[in-house]
């Protein structure tokens, strides 16, 4: 039984934080600002400006 809570993932994340072979990257949808042109939080990164991407290895 796994009692470790799953981290919140945003639609733009390819992996959970701490996953081997993944790292933080700037969100392409908002260019790292965390907001879209209309001032609303970016749905791809959840407003953080960062997404988790597979970088290889692991």
């Amino acid at each position: 039984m796994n009692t470790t809570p799953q981290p919140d993932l945003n639609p733009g994340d390819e992996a959970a934080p701490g996953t081997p072979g993944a790292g933080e990257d700037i969100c392409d949808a908002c260019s790292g600002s965390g907001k879209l042109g209309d001032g609303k939080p970016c749905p791809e990164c959840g407003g953080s400006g960062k997404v988790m991407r597979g970088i290889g290895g692991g």
Side-chain angles (χ1 to χ4, degrees):
M1 182 167 134
N2 186 358
T3 59
T4 305
Q6 293 294 323
D8 291 332
L9 295 178
N10 292 305
D13 290 334
E14 295 177 358
T19 301
E24 215 172 60
D25 195 9
I26 293 173
C27 177
D28 291 332
C30 68
S31 300
S33 71
K35 295 184 180 187
L36 299 178
D38 60 6
K40 292 182 182 176
C42 177
E44 289 296 305
C45 64
S48 70
K50 301 173 188 172
V51 293
M52 292 298 294
R53 307 257 177 170
I55 57 173

